[in-house]
């Protein structure tokens, strides 16, 4: 693994001014909140596995991550700073078959 000695930059510090949710994001958030099932969260710290089914090979694998994790934290009432490990996968699917899969579990002692 390669290391560079630099402080990571947060998304909040990457943009000037105030960011506003678009109408598309508001609709997406509302739809996700309705579609997400009731679950009982495991004990933190968390490990999250995300799988995004895209119909476009040009879609960035990490692009929807922050938005979807924010929606998960809103739905399940947890602070996303409790996520210590994430696995993100991109899968190409036919148009109209797009999806999001996720799993939240307790980070194992070995992985901490």
């Amino acid at each position: 693994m390669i290391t560079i000695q630099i402080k990571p930059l947060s998304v909040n510090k990457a943009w000037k001014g105030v960011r506003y949710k678009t109408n598309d994001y508001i609709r997406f958030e509302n739809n996700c909140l309705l579609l997400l099932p009731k679950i009982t969260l495991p004990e933190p710290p968390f490990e999250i596995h995300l799988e995004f089914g895209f119909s476009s090979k040009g879609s960035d694998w990490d692009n929807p991550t922050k938005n979807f994790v924010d929606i998960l934290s809103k739905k399940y009432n947890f602070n996303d700073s409790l996520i210590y490990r994430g696995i993100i996968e991109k899968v190409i699917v036919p148009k109209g078959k797009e999806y999001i899969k996720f799993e939240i579990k307790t980070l194992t002692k070995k992985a901490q």
Side-chain angles (χ1 to χ4, degrees):
M1 192 175 291
I2 297 169
T3 302
I4 61 171
Q5 298 297 319
I6 189 168
K7 181 180 177 180
L9 185 66
S10 75
V11 171
N12 295 331
K13 296 222 181 220
W15 305 100
K16 287 185 179 181
V18 178
R19 292 180 295 153
Y20 297 95
K21 292 180 182 178
T22 64
N23 289 337
D24 286 341
Y25 180 82
I26 292 167
R27 268 191 303 279
F28 176 74
E29 180 181 44
N30 289 335
N31 288 336
C32 284
L33 291 171
L34 289 172
L35 291 169
L36 287 166
K38 292 183 180 182
I39 62 170
T40 301
L41 285 177
E43 290 296 315
F46 301 126
E47 174 177 317
I48 189 166
H49 185 170
L50 301 172
E51 181 179 305
F52 296 107
F54 293 108
S55 60
S56 171
K57 290 181 181 178
S59 296
D60 291 346
W61 66 274
D62 64 337
N63 195 290
T65 304
K66 178 65 176 155
N67 293 336
F68 188 66
V69 169
D70 285 348
I71 292 167
L72 288 175
S73 68
K74 183 175 185 175
K75 172 73 175 189
Y76 300 122
N77 195 30
F78 71 93
N79 189 322
D80 60 0
S81 68
L82 295 172
I83 299 171
Y84 278 65
R85 172 180 281 166
I87 300 166
I88 305 167
E89 296 185 66
K90 170 181 170 176
V91 176
I92 302 303
V93 299
K95 191 161 188 70
K97 301 290 185 182
E98 298 86 355
Y99 66 86
I100 301 170
K101 289 184 183 180
F102 75 96
E103 179 182 25
I104 302 170
K105 59 187 183 180
T106 299
L107 183 67
T108 62
K109 296 285 184 203
K110 180 181 176 186
Q112 289 181 1

